[in-house]
Amino acid sequence: MTLGQHIQALRKEAGYSQEALGEALGVTRQSISKWESDQAIPEVDKLVTLSRLFQVPVGVLLQVEQPVEPQDAKEHLEEVPQQPKRVTWPMLLVPVWTAALVWLILLLVGLSSRVNSLDESLSEVRMEMAALQAEVNEAKARASAELSAFVVLESVDYPAGEAVFSLTAAPETVREGMKVFFSAASDEFPWEYIQARGQLNASGQYTAKLTCPLANDITFSAIFDSGEAKEVHILTTWSDLLDESCAQVNCQPGLTEDAIQNGVLRWNGPVKITLHPGSADLPEGKVLVETVSLELRVYWNGQSVWGPVAVDLSQVSEEGALQVPVSLELELKEGDTLRLVAYQRDSLGRDWLERTEYVVREEQGELLLTVWDVIFPYRVPLRGDWASLDSDASLWKTN
């Protein structure tokens, strides 16, 4: 199990939603999603806070230690021979109680030893992570000493989903015939990287411009090619450029794990929705990005069974909350999937898709409805309608 999968399992076991956990940690829901999908790793202070929230040692959270199961005192007490109660022989019970007292003392000593061992292991993990962070900082310091460089965000075209960056790098020594290339890479790009050759100016600086798709984590690098060797310098990572501009739609379907009774799901109740505006830097300044239209739809094993229902956004409260009634009855079986899809258009003219997915599983003869996945918004704006979405099998395939 990866760290992200472990965090997801502990979150669900503790009863947190991604948004609730993000609020408890002081991070966005997107950060929680990145952790759980192994796209990012929590910082040290967040790991410590997660261990406190989930009530597990950091070593167990990182899966470098096995969880310590508390011994069951009742099982041990059952092993102690029970003497018949006779008020006429009270002295015969003294050895029994003495043995029990000694056992309890030994148990407490053992537990204390294990606690100390866990504390030592936690300290070792913290020291190792601190050492790794020190190495990263040292590497960055060496790179900074050898190279003067900076990256500037020049413009963003949100409807087109593009951003223009200017990059500048000045090596300590400019060698004759040296070639310099700038590159941008992100897991969210539809290709591996974007590259442009740097041009040498009169100040001894190499410059270039890169046009990149909007993404949350874009890493910029400079490659110096002297003909004999190549040196790669990581300049910086630009973060949260896309998420900040997204108007988020948080849907709470109100479905519990035991919502299926006798094989039938009776879904009678509102879907609670909370809208969170984003923000974008436009030529006229920073503006709010809001949801201007919203439709809901429910899919059962890839087939539409409810909706699309247009949400009346005029009913949104000052806190951004509203409710949409839903009434649905389905006969379910193990392995079925149920998806609530929110399809929105924002004030920048972009279409986004958010999805909450449930899977039906059987446990001790009962069917349970379990949250399988939450996807919000798709990183590339959608251009289409429900018909085009229905035809895209990759969005609705059964997991």
Side-chain angles (χ1 to χ4, degrees), residues 257-266 330 366-367:
E257 190 177 52
D258 58 354
I260 304 173
Q261 299 294 328
N262 299 321
V264 178
L265 170 68
R266 292 180 176 85
L330 297 171
E366 294 185 2
L367 294 179

Side-chain angles (χ1 to χ4, degrees), residues 194-255:
I194 299 169
Q195 191 176 82
R197 182 170 178 175
Q199 301 298 318
L200 181 62
N201 61 24
S203 302
Q205 299 173 324
Y206 289 90
T207 63
K209 289 187 179 182
L210 293 177
T211 300
C212 307
L214 283 183
N216 278 312
D217 294 301
I218 306 175
T219 299
F220 296 94
S221 303
I223 302 101
F224 294 87
D225 186 355
S226 63
E228 298 177 355
K230 291 184 179 180
E231 296 181 5
V232 179
H233 293 264
I234 297 178
L235 305 181
T236 188
T237 297
W238 208 278
S239 301
D240 296 329
L241 185 60
L242 179 61
D243 277 349
E244 288 182 354
S245 73
C246 289
Q248 302 289 342
V249 176
N250 180 21
C251 295
Q252 298 179 0
L255 293 174

Side-chain angles (χ1 to χ4, degrees), residues 1-10 35-36 38 47 51 56-67 121-122 125 128-129:
M1 180 182 293
T2 66
L3 174 59
Q5 292 171 339
H6 196 205
I7 291 174
Q8 184 182 60
L10 291 172
W35 297 348
E36 294 184 353
D38 294 309
L47 287 172
S51 72
V56 298
V58 173
V60 174
L61 179 63
L62 295 174
Q63 300 178 92
V64 297
E65 298 176 5
Q66 294 296 323
S121 299
L122 176 58
V125 171
E128 290 177 2
M129 296 187 71

Side-chain angles (χ1 to χ4, degrees), residues 335-363:
D336 282 359
T337 57
L338 197 67
R339 296 180 177 95
L340 173 65
V341 180
Y343 185 40
Q344 67 149 318
R345 173 161 292 180
D346 65 24
S347 52
L348 294 178
R350 301 176 300 178
D351 295 339
W352 300 99
L353 184 70
E354 304 195 17
R355 184 182 85 187
T356 302
E357 177 177 289
Y358 295 86
V359 64
V360 180
R361 61 183 177 86
E362 185 175 349
E363 186 174 301

